[in-house]
Amino acid sequence: ATARPSPASTPRPPSMSAALCRAHVVAAAAPLTRRRQVASRGKAPALVSAKRTTRSLVMARSALRNPEEVTSKAPTPSVISDTATVVLFDFDGTLGDTETPAMIVAFWELAPYFPEASVAYLSEECMRTYVRNNAGKAFEFMVDVVEEDRKNAGLPSIEEVRAAGAEDPAVLAHVNEQRAKSGLPTLEATRALGKDILTLQKDETVEALATLAAPCPNVPGVLANLKSLGYDFSIATTSGKPRVPVSVVACQYEAYFPPEKIHSGESDFEPPRFKPDPSVYLLAAEKTGALPGNSVAVEDSTSGVGSAANARMGLIVGYVGGSHISAENEDGHAGTLMAGARSDDGRGADIV
């Protein structure tokens, strides 16, 4: 998927056009891709037109200048370049192989409250299937699903059961044994903290990822290659802080992603803006000094691809190398990323 500059494009910058820069980025990121497919538009991404460039700049300004909504403390460049190409990475499952350990934490926090919960039901295979099916989804969404299932089964809410300590003792013992594998305390021990399950999950995920987060395959080499070529890059994630900064340290990415290079849909907006909302990509592009249309997004989830598409990113690279995507599911997940189901205009990943 080689992007070539259009003869009718706007004047080239001193070195190369934005489209040619994007082709360079694709080449540098080749270890992250497994196929050379072009998205459904049937053509390689070309240099944005002057009209689209202006629109992209307007989008970046109008979406992010409301001080009541944007809480990011990252400095904003005095000038937004209309030629620079930057790379904006999702984090969980893209830069950091964190989806699996984070989802394991989430599963064993929710498992006692599944209506069908039993020691036999909560098997290793059950957990693995749940991780695969829910990777990339917000924990709030997973809680809502369990609450709805409990309501339909005529069962009390999760918080009512937690407050009363009314979990099945055999299930609780099994869950505690599994939680210990992630270095987490028993659920009984967490009651004294007085935290609801949403707060507990965020805190325990940070605790687990501080030791379990690891780089995704081939990513360290790609980052080193992009840096050697002079490309700037940032993180554009839904996940909150300090989860991502802690994971950055665990992955030994600090030299690439200091705090000002980490942009979060959960932590940098009030109220939070979760993907496929485009806000975090618009924020990351602006803070990295580039137009959305001249930016490359790298994503592993359908909601992330939708966010990048809705932000009008110039190129969207899908990634299926995280451990939460099994080898037999890579083709299916790649197709899902390219299908564009979560974007407003049906655009999916340009290559995977």
Side-chain angles (χ1 to χ4, degrees):
T2 302
R4 298 179 180 177
S6 167
S9 66
T10 53
R12 291 166 59 139
S15 55
M16 58 182 80
S17 72
L20 192 54
C21 285
R22 288 200 293 275
H24 245 225
V25 170
V26 170
L32 300 185
T33 61
R34 63 188 304 273
R35 60 185 68 216
R36 288 281 180 248
Q37 296 184 3
V38 179
S40 58
R41 285 178 173 75
K43 59 183 180 180
L47 182 66
V48 291
S49 66
K51 181 178 180 180
R52 182 175 170 187
T53 297
T54 302
R55 182 171 180 267
S56 296
L57 183 58
V58 170
M59 284 180 64
R61 297 294 190 227
S62 64
L64 299 173
R65 288 304 184 184
N66 188 336
E68 295 181 354
E69 296 177 351
V70 182
T71 60
S72 170
K73 303 301 181 185
T76 301
S78 58
V79 176
I80 304 296
S81 171
D82 62 357
T83 59
T85 296
V86 301
V87 187
L88 308 176
F89 291 94
D90 173 54
F91 189 84
D92 296 302
T94 303
L95 288 174
D97 202 357
T98 55
E99 287 285 11
T100 296
M103 282 301 306
I104 290 173
V105 170
F107 176 82
W108 292 116
E109 282 170 343
L110 281 174
Y113 312 107
F114 295 160
E116 59 273 76
S118 69
V119 173
Y121 178 80
L122 298 175
S123 64
E124 180 79 7
E125 181 56 32
C126 175
M127 183 268 289
R128 294 294 175 189
T129 300
Y130 190 87
V131 168
R132 285 196 302 270
N133 292 342
N134 289 277
K137 296 178 182 177
F139 186 67
E140 290 84 348
F141 170 81
M142 291 182 273
V143 171
D144 288 344
V145 170
V146 176
E147 292 284 27
E148 185 65 22
D149 289 345
R150 292 186 64 83
K151 181 179 179 181
N152 292 338
L155 297 173
S157 71
I158 292 173
E159 291 302 334
E160 288 177 298
V161 175
R162 292 180 73 237
E167 297 91 345
D168 181 295
V171 168
L172 205 57
H174 176 63
V175 168
N176 287 336
E177 181 180 347
Q178 300 303 316
R179 283 170 54 83
K181 296 177 181 179
S182 296
L184 299 175
T186 65
L187 284 177
E188 294 94 324
T190 66
R191 300 192 204 282
L193 301 175
K195 298 177 180 178
D196 61 33
I197 195 169
L198 293 176
T199 304
L200 181 66
Q201 183 268 341
K202 292 182 188 302
D203 292 347
E204 290 194 335
T205 300
V206 171
E207 182 179 346
L209 291 180
T211 57
L212 298 178
C216 280
N218 299 322
V219 169
V222 167
L223 294 177
N225 198 7
L226 289 172
K227 186 173 182 178
S228 72
L229 292 171
Y231 288 103
D232 200 1
F233 40 80
S234 295
I235 290 171
T237 178
T238 284
S239 297
K241 304 170 185 177
R243 169 177 167 161
V244 176
V246 163
S247 299
V248 164
V249 172
C251 293
Q252 300 182 2
Y253 286 157
E254 304 101 303
Y256 298 120
F257 301 106
E260 65 272 15
K261 292 289 187 180
I262 302 172
H263 310 290
S264 163
E266 179 178 316
S267 299
D268 288 338
F269 298 89
E270 184 56 48
R273 297 187 185 181
F274 300 117
K275 298 174 181 177
D277 185 291
S279 297
V280 71
Y281 271 109
L282 293 171
L283 175 68
E286 179 179 357
K287 297 293 186 180
T288 315
L291 294 172
N294 287 348
S295 302
V296 178
V298 185
E299 273 287 352
D300 74 304
S301 71
T302 55
S303 59
V305 167
S307 174
N310 293 337
R312 306 294 193 268
M313 295 285 106
L315 181 69
I316 304 174
V317 178
Y319 177 69
V320 295
S323 65
H324 62 294
I325 303 170
S326 61
E328 61 268 25
N329 289 332
E330 283 186 0
D331 286 339
H333 194 72
T336 300
L337 294 179
M338 300 184 78
R342 302 298 303 278
S343 63
D344 293 342
D345 61 0
R347 179 188 175 191
D350 297 304
I351 59 173
V352 177

